[in-house]
Amino acid sequence: MKIEHIAIWVKDLEKTREFYQKYFGAVSNKKYHNPVKNFESYFLSFDSGSRLEIMTRPGIKENTSSYDSQQFGIVHLAFAVKTKENVNELTEVLRKDGYIIAGEPRTTGDGYYESAILDPENNIVEIVA
């Protein structure tokens, strides 16, 4: 078995798609639109074969989870890079481009070297080596 894809609701579909394409190498399919349900989505594919579905429609409730005060459910997405230097470099590019660095690069208790950033929708994204 493998995880085929994970889906997240977003407010700004285009901005979120561009973020994952620019910084994490995602390849997007053509936008799906269901006018009856007023639903739109993209599937973002990554080199590993994993996919992220980003979806939007009116009426989705605001998520009150944050990096410091989290709720039950999916907590973060983690993207693996090859080296600690890659973690540092991508973290600095994201910082320079105005994204919130929620966790500075560090070695964690479970052995990862990682940083944590917030995507355009304030989802926690870890960059790990």
Side-chain angles (χ1 to χ4, degrees):
M1 294 246 184
K2 72 172 189 170
I3 294 175
E4 205 293 322
H5 73 272
I6 294 173
I8 56 175
W9 289 111
V10 301
K11 293 179 204 169
D12 191 328
L13 197 61
E14 299 304 326
K15 187 174 184 179
T16 303
R17 179 177 65 97
E18 291 167 7
F19 172 83
Y20 286 100
Q21 287 178 309
K22 179 176 181 178
Y23 299 108
F24 297 97
V27 175
S28 178
N29 71 335
K30 184 179 174 184
K31 184 192 293 184
Y32 170 74
H33 179 236
N34 180 329
V36 174
K37 294 183 178 183
N38 202 11
F39 172 87
E40 297 177 321
S41 71
Y42 286 109
F43 272 97
L44 306 177
S45 299
F46 300 91
D47 287 343
S48 66
S50 60
R51 298 191 311 159
L52 179 64
E53 182 180 14
I54 55 173
M55 313 173 303
T56 194
R57 73 174 167 89
I60 300 301
K61 294 180 183 176
E62 188 72 31
N63 182 345
T64 59
S65 187
S66 70
Y67 187 73
D68 295 319
S69 175
Q70 298 179 19
Q71 298 173 341
F72 287 108
I74 293 175
V75 176
H76 64 260
L77 304 174
F79 289 88
V81 295
K82 292 182 180 180
T83 67
K84 290 179 178 184
E85 291 76 23
N86 295 142
V87 171
N88 294 337
E89 290 166 2
L90 184 50
T91 301
E92 289 310 311
V93 167
L94 288 157
R95 184 190 320 273
K96 180 178 89 39
D97 288 352
Y99 291 96
I100 295 170
I101 308 303
E104 293 293 335
R106 70 209 176 277
T107 300
T108 64
D110 53 4
Y112 284 107
Y113 184 77
E114 69 179 40
S115 67
I117 59 99
L118 301 182
D119 77 1
E121 300 282 330
N122 290 324
N123 295 301
I124 301 166
V125 178
E126 291 181 350
I127 306 164
V128 304

